[in-house]
Amino acid sequence: MNVVELHHPLITHKLAILRDEKTSTKEFRELVKEISMMLCYEAMKNAALSPVTIHTPLTSLETGMIDTEKYAFVPILRAGMGMLDGVISVIPNAKIGHIGMYRNEKTFEPVNYFFKVPKDIQSREVILLDPMLATGGSAIDAIDLLKEKGVQKIKFLCIIAAPEGLEEVWKKHPDVCIYCAKIDDHLNAQKYIVPGLGDAGDRIFGTK
Ligand code: PRP
Ligand code: URA
């Protein structure tokens, strides 16, 4: 599958606190931001560099820079918004789109209620953001919507992914690489990720 899982003691440490039911909303938000930054670093590992000449106070050198104007971040509302601060701190010039989705509580199918992306989205690499990839339905529909707009390069950043959802996304969109902090064990009968962290949106926004 087209998946990169972060393996780092700091990720394990931060995920342990994030998952803990006693973790406060404030700390939960801070951890989502920090882990998102690390996911973004990993997703940019093979980014193209353009040659530049830099004059330091001591000398000049030939080095490389990323054209940060070529990227767009698209959080899937609501929970994806929690990841935005972290990734913007890595690529501050990226444009931002929004896709509104929620899961129908009975069918678990995603419902799209909002879609607004930059006009030139087809010429940008899109980094989709959503902390949870459970059945994969929301990710698949969001990728479908972006591809309909002509987007050719998409990466998906999530904090926790379920194996079942990863497989579904792979079947439908094998070209999309998924970067996750952890692949968890399974989905329960309510399609929640186990062990997971509960409802990411509710924990980020303190709605429960
Ligand atoms: C959560 C999560 C994903 C989706 C994942 O959103 O943030 O968008 O569920 O589930 P899936 O892979 O089975 O589609 P939710 O529906 O809880 O909406 P919210 O972000 O507004 O809380
Ligand atoms: N959405 C969440 O927020 N958590 C899950 O475990 C599954 C979907």
Side-chain angles (χ1 to χ4, degrees):
M1 279 194 282
N2 202 357
V3 183
V4 176
E5 185 183 20
L6 299 188
H7 294 278
H8 195 289
L10 269 174
I11 290 286
T12 309
H13 173 85
K14 288 178 190 297
L15 278 177
I17 307 170
L18 190 75
R19 292 178 191 275
D20 191 330
E21 61 183 358
K22 293 196 201 80
T23 296
S24 69
T25 303
K26 175 179 180 290
E27 200 175 4
F28 193 90
R29 278 191 204 129
E30 288 166 358
L31 287 161
V32 167
K33 177 181 173 182
E34 287 171 33
I35 296 169
S36 304
M37 278 175 69
M38 296 181 207
L39 285 166
C40 194
Y41 268 95
E42 187 62 30
M44 296 298 289
K45 204 169 179 174
N46 298 314
L49 291 166
S50 307
V52 287
T53 306
I54 296 290
H55 304 282
T56 79
L58 304 178
T59 185
S60 51
L61 86 157
E62 306 297 318
T63 181
M65 287 182 79
I66 294 171
D67 183 356
T68 55
E69 299 283 349
K70 284 190 179 155
Y71 296 87
F73 291 121
V74 177
I76 300 178
L77 309 179
R78 290 176 302 168
M81 286 300 289
M83 300 175 75
L84 199 53
D85 273 1
V87 295
I88 285 175
S89 63
V90 179
I91 314 178
N93 290 333
K95 292 255 169 72
I96 295 160
H98 295 86
I99 299 180
M101 296 243 173
Y102 69 88
R103 281 201 320 184
N104 178 302
E105 282 176 13
K106 290 199 178 88
T107 64
F108 311 114
E109 292 292 324
V111 179
N112 175 224
Y113 60 89
F114 189 76
F115 184 85
K116 181 95 182 162
V117 293
K119 272 203 184 77
D120 60 353
I121 194 81
Q122 72 287 345
S123 58
R124 291 173 179 270
E125 174 169 341
V126 172
I127 302 180
L128 259 174
L129 310 169
D130 193 329
M132 308 303 274
L133 192 154
T135 65
S138 306
I140 289 170
D141 283 9
I143 296 166
D144 281 342
L145 290 169
L146 290 168
K147 286 187 175 175
E148 279 166 23
K149 288 278 170 194
V151 178
Q152 291 178 16
K153 211 163 173 206
I154 301 172
K155 288 177 175 153
F156 189 92
L157 270 51
C158 60
I159 294 182
I160 297 181
E164 297 92 325
L166 288 174
E167 188 157 349
E168 290 305 312
V169 179
W170 163 248
K171 277 196 229 154
K172 190 84 198 294
H173 296 293
D175 56 304
V176 175
C177 187
I178 297 168
Y179 295 81
C180 65
K182 184 73 186 154
I183 302 172
D184 265 4
D185 198 59
H186 66 279
L187 295 175
N188 69 10
Q190 287 73 43
K191 308 293 182 197
Y192 269 79
I193 303 174
V194 182
L197 49 73
D199 187 303
D202 283 339
R203 296 197 66 182
I204 290 168
F205 296 107
T207 37
K208 252 185 198 157

